[in-house]
Amino acid sequence: MKILVTGGAGFIGSALIRYLIQHTSHEVLNVDKLTYAGNLTSLTDVCNDPRYRFVQIDIVDSQALKQTFATFQPDAVMHLAAESHVDRSILAADEFIQTNIVGTFNLLDVARRYWAQLPADKQSRFRFQHISTDEVYGDLPHPNDADFTGQLFSETTPYAPSSPYAASKAASDHLVNAWCRTYGLPILMTNCSNNYGPYHFPEKLIPLTILNALEQKTIPIYGKGTQIRDWLYVEDHVEALYLVLQQGHIGDTYNIGGHNEVENLQLVHILCDTLDKLVPQSTSYKTLIRHVDDRLGHDRRYAIDASKIHKELGWKPRHTLEQGLQKTIKWVIDHRAWCIAAAQRKSAAVDTLYSSH
Ligand code: NAD
């Protein structure tokens, strides 16, 4: 197959491309704008493979997309390009509306017109896979709540996004489903819980905590840190994505999760305890933890029911949280220069955002 991956220089996209090049015989075209979150050095392991190519394109530019489809002639699209950081979406939602909504619309429309003119056999094999998030469902009752009964997000949970990021992803999901229902575009949808692992941008909780601990900087925790997330190791996620691409039912949504519900503060404690063993200092890394003002509209609990993808496609995560965190911490220790450089790019991007809003 020839697979067009959008957002392939990002955290999950680069893990997906490394997987496709190292474990399959497919050709991959990486379509990425290279925002502050995109980093081609995440693809160093595969960038010299003749089956991998990169083109720098903004998915908001429909002409460039049209040309790319015409030249590459993809058999499948795996759409990951997005603005993905909730805090940035609260500060300035413009880019989220442009990339996540307008960009997804452009991609759908270009893909539909391309798909419509394909010969019948190629047309029947074509797939458009949209990679989305569990944040579109809003939040679930927390164990501290009176109405808590262990509720989980299923594929039929109504959408109730809280943040501008989640709302923009929800809008993109609706567009994707509409393009299937209205035009018959063969789509597949996945909604996944929080990922972690190698090449994770250090603005997100896990890599930020590990890097700040190693740098002896404070470790910020929003509010009391009681928010619950369901963590999934990124390599387990990309295996699920490829399985859905190969075997998923057209028009279906698959929820993907790690069965790892943990409160943020507890997660940070696990990271500090592990670091205390691996890289001991005179005092525990926990002394670096500082509680900061909570995020506006912060969702309190996410948890995924991943039974559909397990029953229908046989997928389950390979890594326990403990195994995944061990690997991730070791990766950050071995790739500290990459993480520091990424953190510096993030600081510059945040400064630009503050000065323009
Ligand atoms: P990321 O921020 O690390 O990467 C996003 C990539 O998209 C970057 O390489 C960036 O340069 C590129 N991009 C941004 N705007 C673009 C544009 N206009 N045109 C072309 N490329 C553009 O994000 P991620 O964490 O890898 O997430 C990938 C996808 O998976 C997103 O759609 C996200 O909503 C979804 N998702 C993420 C998680 C998670 O925990 N990270 C969980 C579930 C779903």
Side-chain angles (χ1 to χ4, degrees), residues 41 62 77 112 115 256 269 276 308:
T41 59
S62 57
V77 173
R112 171 177 78 85
W115 164 77
I256 306 173
H269 282 175
D276 282 339
K308 175 175 173 181

Side-chain angles (χ1 to χ4, degrees), residues 149-330:
T149 55
Q151 295 93 330
L152 301 171
F153 293 136
S154 80
E155 286 80 0
T156 54
T157 301
Y159 277 32
S162 307
S163 69
Y165 161 67
S168 68
K169 288 297 290 187
S172 71
D173 290 11
H174 290 316
L175 290 173
V176 172
N177 280 323
W179 257 243
C180 180
R181 169 85 189 230
T182 305
Y183 304 109
L185 186 71
I187 70 99
L188 299 160
M189 174 100 69
T190 55
N191 293 78
C192 187
S193 61
N194 284 44
N195 282 218
Y196 67 99
Y199 298 104
H200 202 181
F201 199 82
E203 64 186 347
K204 309 279 170 83
L205 180 63
I206 291 181
L208 179 76
T209 298
I210 303 169
L211 188 62
N212 279 17
L214 290 171
E215 299 282 297
Q216 288 289 308
K217 291 183 178 163
T218 57
I219 300 171
I221 278 276
Y222 280 130
K224 292 183 179 153
T226 52
Q227 308 84 0
I228 293 176
R229 300 292 180 260
D230 173 5
W231 293 96
L232 178 67
Y233 191 61
V234 68
E235 290 173 10
D236 290 334
H237 184 193
V238 301
E239 280 190 23
L241 293 180
Y242 183 55
L243 195 61
V244 170
L245 180 71
Q246 288 174 296
Q247 296 177 24
H249 295 116
I250 290 173
D252 267 17
T253 292
Y254 295 87
N255 278 359
I256 306 173
H259 311 296
N260 286 315
E261 280 187 62
V262 194
E263 286 193 351
N264 284 350
L265 186 58
Q266 190 191 346
L267 179 75
V268 169
H269 282 175
I270 297 171
L271 291 170
C272 289
D273 288 341
T274 315
L275 279 164
D276 282 339
K277 284 186 199 129
L278 289 174
V279 195
Q281 299 287 336
S282 51
T283 54
S284 167
Y285 290 102
K286 281 184 194 153
T287 58
L288 298 169
I289 296 172
R290 299 284 181 278
H291 291 265
V292 298
D293 287 346
D294 207 350
R295 171 188 277 165
L296 296 173
H298 207 168
D299 287 333
R300 288 167 319 136
R301 176 170 169 256
Y302 303 140
I304 283 271
D305 172 0
S307 58
K308 175 175 173 181
I309 188 170
H310 178 60
K311 279 190 206 131
E312 289 190 13
L313 308 184
W315 177 86
K316 62 176 188 220
R318 288 181 197 274
H319 294 80
T320 63
L321 185 64
E322 196 187 8
Q323 291 166 332
L325 289 179
Q326 286 271 355
K327 278 191 178 183
T328 306
I329 290 172
K330 286 192 176 131

Side-chain angles (χ1 to χ4, degrees), residues 80-82 100 130-133 136 164-174:
L80 296 95
N100 300 0
H130 181 59
I131 285 71
S132 194
T133 166
V136 297
Y165 161 67
S168 68
K169 288 297 290 187
S172 71
D173 290 11
H174 290 316

